[in-house]
Structures are given as C-alpha cells and as structure tokens.
Amino acid sequence: MTFQIALVLAILGVALLLFVTERVRMDLAAMLILVSLVVTGLITPAEALSGFSSPAVVTVWAVLILSAGLTRAGLAGLVGQQMLRLAGHSEARLVAVIMLTAAVLSGFMNNVGVAALMLPVVVNIARQTGRPPSRLLMPLAFATLVGGSITLIGTPPNLLISEALHESGLNSFQMFDFLPVGLAVTLASIVFMTLGGRHLLPRRETKRLPGDERADLAEFFGLRERLYTVRLPPASPLAGKSLLESRLGVVLGLNVVGILRQGAVRLAPTPETVLQADDRLLVEGRLDQLAEFSNGQQILVKEQPLDVEKLLSAEMGFAEVRFAADCPLQGQTLQQIGFRARFGAVVLAVRRGGGVLRTNLERIPLQCDDVLLVQGRHGQLDLLEAEPSLIVKRIETVKEYQLEERLMLARVPPGSLLAGKTLAESRLGGAYGLGVMGIMHEGTTRLLPEADERLAEGDLLLVKGRRQDLETLAGLQSLVVEGQAEVDLDDLESEHVGLIEVVLSPHSKLAGKTLRELHFRDKYGLSVLAIWRGGRAYRSGLRDMALQFGDALLLYGPRDRARVLGSEPDFLVLTESAQEAPRWQKAPLALLIMAGVLVVVMIGWLPIAIAAVMGMALMILTGCLAMDEAYQSVEWRSVFLIAGMLPMGIAMERTGAAQWLADGLIGLLGGWGPLAVMGGLTLLAVAALQAMPTAAVAVLLAPIAMGAAANLGVSPYPLLMAVAAATSAAFMSPVGHPSNVLIMGPGGYRFTDYIRVGLPLTIVVLAVALLVIPLFWPF
C-alpha cells in the first residue's frame, strides 16, 4: 500500500464516519471530501469540480424536474383511479397493483418523486378500502426502489455506473440495458411481497368505518384520549382576552379546538377570538400541567415603586445599540439571533419610530432603524462594541424609555412550582412573557442572572413585563377542568373546518426546525394536534420538537388554509380534500414530452443528459410546470452529494486505491470464480447502504468492480450490473433511502418493521440478480 492509497482510504474512512454519525449533513460532508482531495494533491481543482458538469449529475436534476411536471399534471389522480378499479378490495391484488404501478413509474421518473406522488393516493386507497396504511405503504416504497433499476434514468446509481464506464473508455449502458435484470428483480419482489412478504407487514389497526377519514386520523393519532373540556368561571381574568393573550398554548401546551358558548359550538377559533365568562373550551393536550399550575399561586407581585437607575452598579451599564447598514441581524428576532447567549447582555426595550416596545421583545423581527436599549456588564458591552455590524453608544440614564411601567418586584411563595427550577426551566420568559432582571436571595442581589440560576422559595425577583400578563396567569389558575370531552369526532369537522394529515416533502427545508421557530400557527393558521414519529404519536411539547423527515403531522383548522398549505413545497398533504388541484389539461402534453425524451434517447439522436434538459425546458415553456416549481422540485442535497462524491472515484482510480481493494476482494473470493466475486460485491453494496446513500455506494464500488473484472480477465459489465441491482436493495433501514423515510410517519412504522420485511426481500433480490445477470451479461 502506497502513501497515496493510504491517504485516499483515510479520507474515505472519515467520509464513512461522517455519513454514519450524521454530525454534518451528507451533502456538506461530500463538499468537505471534495476539498480535502484537492488540498492533499490527490486530484486537480478541475477534476474536483468536474462532478458538477457530469452528464450523470445533469441528468439527475433534469429528471427530477420532468417528474415534477408529470406530478403537477395530475398523474397521481389518474393512477389512483385505475389502481382502485383494477385491484378492488383484495389486499393481495392491492399490493401487487400498487407495486407494479410504482415500479413502472420509477423506471421513468425519480423514485423519490414517485413515492411522493403516490403516497397520498395510496393513503386514500387504504382509507377507502378500510385497510391500515401500514399494509400498503411499505410495498409502495420498496417498489420505487426496485423499479428504478429497470432503466438508465430510473435511479442515480444507474447513471453513475454508466458514467464510470464512459470515463474508462468503454461503451456505457443505454436506456433499456438494465431492463432484463431490473424487470426480473422487480417481478420477484412483487411476487414475494404479494404471496409472503405482506404477512410480515405490521397491522397498525385503527377503529374506523371504511372510508371514514376523520375517525381514521383521530384514532391513528390517539386524539380522542387527549380531548378535554375546561371552563372559564364567571369572574375569570381571562374574560375579554383573546386566545393569543390567554397564553393557553405557550404556558399549558393546550390547543383550543372549539368553544362551546350559549349552546353553540365555534370550531377552530382563531388566535384573535375573544373569550367570555362561562365559555367551555374544548382543548387538546395534557392536563397534568394545568392541574399542577392551579395548585396554589406560583408568583406574587409586590406593590413597591422601583427606581430603574438602581439597576446600574459598578459592573453594570446601559447602552443604545443600532444596526449598521449591512447588518445581517436585521429581519431576525432576538430569539433567532440568540442575543443573550451570544453577547451576554439583555435587551430591555426597542425604540421604533416614535414609540417604545418593552414586552414580548424576543419574538419581534428587528428593523433597520430600531434602537435597542441594552443592559449588561461592562465586559459584555465591550463585546457589543467590538461587533462590526452594530453601532453602540453607552448611556447613563434611561428615563425616556419609561421602564418603570414594566418593572415589578415579585416573590416566589412557599409551595410554588417555580422553586427548585432554573430560570430556563421556569419558562418565565418564553411562556409567561416575564424577563427576570435580578434575583434577591438572603440579602444578596444578583443582576442579570444566568439561565441555569435556580429559584428558591422566598426569592424576590426583579421582573420586566406587563401586569396584564400576571393577570393572565391568575386566569389560567382559575380554569375549571370538567373532564374528558364526550364529543363525536364528526362534531369537530364541518364544511369549513377539518383535520388534515401532512408529511414533510423530500424537498422540505424545515427539517431540524421547531414549530415555535417556524411560527407555524401564525404562518399557516392551522394548529398541530399531534406528530407521529418512530411508531408512536406525540401530543404534548410539540412547539419545541424539531421536525424530522418521516414525521406525519395532524393539523386542525380552516379547510381553505389547508389548501394553501397544499401548495407549499415543504409539505405533502395526505388528506385528499386539502390537496392542490392538479393541472389536468396539461396531462397529455406532459406525457407527450416525457415520451419524446425517451424516444430521442432510444434512437440515439441526443445523449440522455441533453434530452432530459430539453424535456425539462419544454415542461416549463408549455406551462406544465412553473419555473419556481422547477427549482423547488430539485433535490439539491442529492445533486451536491453526487457531485461531491464523484471526485472520490477519480482519486481511487488515480492512486490505485480501487485496484488495491479489488485485489483484496479477488484474494478473498477469486478462487471461487467470478460469480462469487459478484456475490461479494453485492453483499458489500448492501452493507454500505446501511451507512451511505445509494449514489455514494455506486461511486465507490464502480471502480472496485472494474478493477476486479480486470484482475479476473472478465467483462466488467456483469459486475457493474450487480452493483446497480444491489444499490436498489436499500430495504432494511428507514434511513437507507428517502422513499423509506417518507412513508415512515404515515404508515406508523418502527425501525424493526424495515428489518423484518426488508431482510428477506434483500435476500430475494440478490439471489435473483445473481441468477439472471450471467444470462444476459456473461462473464
């Protein structure tokens, strides 16, 4: 082993570690690999960037746009109607028809796109036939994987393996060269799942009538067991306040799904809805926090005048902070900036125009002409002055900000739930809108306490807020819990209000963000009642849960707002009534464009990359797809991942690392013949799929397969075809392929479900591939 080979393998090992641990995003990891190969001198800068101009990469994003054009033209609705007509209500026929349809579509569209296209269709079929979605969605996802192996454009690994042949000076695979092997693998998968595999699928039963979508969703997410009725007493301080001002959501984590008032029910009230005495609120959530909260007073206000100037000390000071013209912080909230954590200082007020804002400052987007009144230790103010995007001016008096109106002394009484909690755990700021400026404990005063400072009984707190907020707390304590709501789920829905199920789309940019950060309720006008993740429903603490791919969200609210959500690229709406209307009139044109692309490639008039780009342009020019929709349909993470990993293949070839690994494989299995080597490559591919994306596996194994073929003196085509078939067998993990992640939430699947069904299916696929490949691609 030479030093260069060791260096390439070390970089490859780091790449594997990054992929497995997911400490950084996979596309970012690919970029880091690309840079490291150049810095170490293993490849030239031109070679490092060659992946972005690779025909395989161009074809990948162009096919994604073509797939989006077919989707927007209403292909899903046409497919769904025909599937239900052909399959009827038989589960075996449903599995077979769904898998066959998905496989055929995946041969000509991106397989993740097909999964996203058919997901709402299959969910609706499951509801219409009275079957749990868990019986149908995993066959759908697996069919998109094996179906992609039918043609050259069906999946990125096929394109990358064909490109590897071209770069080596050999004839690359053509459009339908994959058909014999891919068709055999696909048919074997369908037969296995129809006859035996479907019996391994979980049955996540829900109590419902066939076609009863409301009961299906409510039972699946366990909604009924978290519905309660609470009442506002006659003299409640909450009377006359809006739902937003009541803080029922931020303090108690309750969603108000309806208000019972004078014999009438108002469903899905808006945040601006004003509460009245004796209102009965139908709420969804956990009541244990309300029960604890109502058990005695949590904080007592002391009527005592305050001199704001006393907040100054030898260590503390005030400053006015303005934004420089090019400050990147403009438009963000203090919460998004992490102002306190970043600078250690506290924003007491914001002067905007002729007025002063003094409460709820954490959630206010900052404007370019805002002046922030900041308090902090002198060292913290020095940090602010060192920030080039800020203009800082120290001041001695703050009387013009009239902070006295918002400063109060409050005491933590005996028995308060706040005692023993840190400031962060107390949620005095985030939930109650109160900022703790100081803590007086046993004669010692600590100004600007840290978030991990613990409160104790008898502590005096210097708090910034509004007395109305403290009245709101008293109102929450006075709520009367009447018990679990005895309501018919039909009563929760009407012509204008309903339950909606959505999942994050494959192109969503919202993964990793919380509902609070997204201002979900404010932006979409819908309440999130539950999130299904990892085989269970979460119905509390949702505001601070970071969204993940595979999550299914149960939403409640106006149907017109749900239809707006259906047009958002970040979500796939599974509820049929809320889906965006397709462009039916464009369906024949979109199919004609796709057929034209295939014909042009088959007759050899244009290379596949150019033909796909031509088809993409025609989709946009003819109105099948808008330009913005085209950009949104591209899975840029995959594009950058593939473009970043292609230089690794170049480095492995140039340094001899691929040949060194191929020699090791031959030394281990070569004595058993080329079929054994081909089997070893497929097993290596399947093992790598558990930690790496399919495209990366193809890039890494293609040069090894070609090196092994050279050592054995056989054709490289059967070995490369085996690698292509094996990369389609990513069945054993939800993270093995985006299609698997996409159906996890709606199907209610657990990690073990993929192993139980995926392992035997992997064995079937590999066995069929090893039998069929030598027949069509002899050694």
Side-chain angles (χ1 to χ4, degrees):
M1 178 189 295
T2 66
F3 173 75
Q4 285 190 321
I5 292 177
L7 191 56
V8 168
L9 295 180
I11 294 174
L12 179 59
V14 173
L16 284 171
L17 184 64
L18 292 176
F19 287 146
V20 171
T21 60
E22 297 184 355
R23 295 295 298 271
V24 297
R25 290 170 36 144
M26 289 187 177
D27 48 352
L28 177 58
M31 293 297 101
L32 294 174
I33 293 165
L34 180 153
V35 171
S36 65
L37 292 173
V38 176
V39 171
T40 54
L42 296 173
I43 58 175
T44 66
E47 290 169 332
L49 299 176
S50 63
F52 291 96
S53 60
S54 164
V57 174
V58 173
T59 306
V60 166
W61 61 255
V63 169
L64 284 168
I65 296 175
L66 286 170
S67 302
L70 292 171
T71 301
R72 287 296 296 119
L75 187 62
L78 297 173
V79 168
Q81 293 170 8
Q82 295 304 314
M83 282 197 303
L84 194 57
R85 185 178 64 81
L86 291 173
H89 285 63
S90 164
E91 183 176 87
R93 286 205 302 272
L94 277 171
V95 169
V97 171
I98 288 171
M99 291 191 71
L100 183 61
T101 304
V104 171
L105 290 176
S106 295
F108 304 98
M109 299 171 61
N110 175 265
N111 43 24
V112 182
V114 172
L117 168 77
M118 292 189 61
L119 177 58
V121 177
V122 174
V123 168
N124 286 328
I125 288 176
R127 288 170 181 154
Q128 291 179 49
T129 58
R131 299 186 182 281
S134 61
R135 304 291 293 176
L136 302 177
L137 289 181
M138 194 173 284
L140 164 66
F142 291 171
T144 65
L145 300 185
V146 294
S149 65
I150 294 176
T151 67
L152 175 64
I153 63 173
T155 182
N158 289 4
L159 290 164
L160 294 169
I161 287 171
S162 181
E163 181 70 10
L165 282 168
H166 177 74
E167 292 294 329
S168 299
L170 300 172
N171 292 328
S172 56
F173 288 122
Q174 300 304 304
M175 176 65 76
F176 291 105
D177 284 349
F178 294 89
L179 182 61
V181 177
L183 187 60
V185 165
T186 298
L187 292 177
S189 301
I190 295 174
V191 170
F192 169 76
M193 290 299 297
T194 302
L195 299 182
R198 66 186 177 89
H199 298 296
L200 301 174
L201 292 167
R203 184 178 293 275
R204 304 281 186 257
E205 291 285 7
T206 56
K207 300 176 182 178
R208 64 192 183 284
L209 298 173
D212 186 354
E213 184 176 311
R214 289 186 293 261
D216 182 13
L217 287 176
E219 294 293 342
F220 185 76
F221 284 92
L223 181 60
R224 189 187 300 275
E225 63 191 64
R226 288 292 173 84
L227 282 176
Y228 299 91
T229 305
V230 298
R231 179 172 53 83
L232 272 68
S236 173
L238 297 182
K241 294 184 181 295
S242 67
L243 274 177
L244 181 64
E245 293 169 337
S246 75
R247 296 184 174 268
L248 275 163
V250 292
V251 175
L252 301 177
L254 300 177
N255 284 305
V256 179
V257 298
I259 298 177
L260 290 72
R261 180 183 297 165
Q262 298 176 352
V265 180
R266 179 170 184 174
L267 296 175
T270 66
E272 292 75 30
T273 301
V274 176
L275 299 173
Q276 296 181 11
D278 292 320
D279 276 350
R280 298 173 66 227
L281 309 181
L282 183 62
V283 299
E284 182 267 345
R286 295 178 57 176
L287 290 187
D288 51 355
Q289 193 166 350
L290 175 58
E292 291 181 359
F293 190 78
S294 302
N295 185 22
Q297 290 184 300
Q298 311 309 321
I299 188 170
L300 296 174
V301 177
K302 294 178 68 67
E303 299 294 339
Q304 182 175 332
L306 287 172
D307 184 358
V308 178
E309 308 297 337
K310 290 184 179 178
L311 291 177
L312 282 172
S313 67
E315 299 86 19
M316 310 293 286
F318 292 117
E320 290 182 332
V321 178
R322 292 176 170 83
F323 296 117
D326 57 347
C327 180
L329 305 182
Q330 297 178 41
Q332 299 185 57
T333 65
L334 292 172
Q335 189 175 58
Q336 291 169 334
I337 296 170
F339 194 93
R340 174 75 186 270
R342 182 171 175 179
F343 300 110
V346 175
V347 178
L348 299 178
V350 176
R351 193 168 71 229
R352 176 176 294 175
V356 177
L357 308 175
R358 289 164 297 199
T359 53
N360 296 320
L361 301 180
E362 290 288 319
R363 301 183 182 90
I364 299 173
L366 300 175
Q367 300 179 4
C368 59
D369 57 348
D370 284 346
V371 179
L372 313 184
L373 175 63
V374 174
Q375 182 195 20
R377 292 178 174 84
H378 293 295
Q380 295 163 342
L381 297 182
D382 291 339
L383 284 177
L384 282 171
E385 289 179 329
E387 179 66 36
S389 59
L390 301 177
I391 303 169
V392 180
K393 175 186 175 184
R394 308 277 182 122
I395 59 175
E396 299 296 329
T397 180
V398 295
K399 291 188 180 297
E400 63 180 293
Y401 289 91
Q402 299 176 325
L403 295 178
E404 291 84 355
E405 299 177 7
R406 293 290 186 264
L407 287 176
M408 299 167 283
L409 275 178
R411 183 169 61 86
V412 180
S416 171
L417 293 176
L418 301 179
K421 292 184 176 180
T422 65
L423 282 177
E425 294 168 344
S426 73
R427 303 192 306 138
L428 283 169
Y432 306 132
L434 302 174
V436 179
M437 312 305 299
I439 300 177
M440 286 162 258
H441 178 72
E442 297 180 350
T444 302
T445 300
R446 297 185 299 279
L447 294 176
L448 296 185
E450 299 295 333
D452 58 358
E453 189 90 27
R454 289 198 177 274
L455 301 175
E457 292 182 357
D459 279 354
L460 278 178
L461 310 181
L462 178 62
V463 297
K464 180 173 71 72
R466 299 181 304 177
R467 293 190 179 272
Q468 299 96 300
D469 294 330
L470 295 174
E471 292 175 4
T472 299
L473 298 187
L476 293 175
Q477 290 177 316
S478 69
L479 288 173
V480 178
V481 179
E482 294 187 343
Q484 196 156 20
E486 298 295 333
V487 296
D488 191 325
L489 292 175
D490 287 343
D491 294 337
L492 292 181
E493 300 202 88
S494 68
E495 181 183 351
H496 304 292
V497 174
L499 294 167
I500 304 102
E501 185 181 11
V502 303
V503 296
L504 292 188
S505 79
H507 317 297
S508 178
K509 302 178 182 65
L510 306 185
K513 296 182 179 179
T514 66
L515 297 174
R516 189 189 303 275
E517 291 171 340
L518 296 172
H519 302 285
F520 190 92
R521 176 67 187 270
D522 297 335
K523 184 176 181 180
Y524 299 110
L526 299 166
S527 298
V528 181
L529 302 185
I531 296 177
W532 186 276
R533 175 183 297 172
R536 59 161 291 192
Y538 292 86
R539 290 155 301 203
S540 59
L542 303 182
R543 284 175 173 80
D544 296 310
M545 282 182 65
L547 297 178
Q548 299 178 5
F549 286 111
D551 285 349
L553 282 66
L554 179 64
L555 310 179
Y556 182 68
R559 296 189 188 277
D560 57 347
R561 299 303 296 267
R563 280 186 279 272
V564 172
L565 187 70
S567 64
E568 289 280 335
D570 290 307
F571 297 99
L572 284 176
V573 178
L574 305 187
T575 306
E576 190 172 15
S577 60
Q579 293 167 8
E580 187 180 13
R583 301 177 182 127
W584 297 108
Q585 72 277 11
K586 299 292 184 181
L589 193 55
L591 289 171
L592 183 63
I593 291 171
M594 190 67 194
V597 170
L598 298 177
V599 170
V600 164
V601 174
M602 288 171 60
I603 65 176
W605 184 43
L606 288 175
I608 179 62
I610 302 301
V613 172
M614 178 188 70
M616 174 270 299
L618 289 174
M619 283 283 189
I620 297 168
L621 286 173
T622 56
C624 296
L625 200 66
M627 195 69 200
D628 287 344
E629 292 172 330
Y631 282 120
Q632 292 165 358
S633 66
V634 177
E635 178 50 64
W636 294 107
R637 283 171 290 217
S638 296
V639 171
F640 275 77
L641 170 68
I642 297 170
M645 288 301 296
L646 281 173
M648 174 59 77
I650 297 173
M652 291 179 66
E653 287 270 18
R654 173 164 300 169
T655 61
Q659 189 61 53
W660 185 82
L661 292 172
D663 292 343
L665 183 65
I666 297 301
L668 184 65
L669 299 173
W672 299 85
L675 187 62
V677 174
M678 187 164 69
L681 281 170
T682 60
L683 291 177
L684 184 60
V686 170
L689 286 173
Q690 309 313 309
M692 300 174 65
T694 56
V697 174
V699 168
L700 296 178
L701 290 189
I704 297 175
M706 296 178 72
N711 279 6
L712 291 171
V714 300
S715 168
Y717 291 96
L719 298 187
L720 288 171
M721 188 62 70
V723 172
T727 57
S728 298
F731 310 127
M732 291 190 291
S733 165
V735 297
H737 195 275
S739 293
N740 294 349
V741 178
L742 194 61
I743 55 100
M744 189 176 187
Y749 296 117
R750 301 185 177 97
F751 198 97
T752 53
D753 295 330
Y754 290 87
I755 298 175
R756 184 171 60 251
V757 184
L759 179 59
L761 180 58
T762 300
I763 295 172
V764 169
V765 166
L766 296 188
V768 171
L770 293 177
L771 288 173
V772 173
I773 289 173
L775 299 179
F776 293 93
W777 299 93
F779 295 106

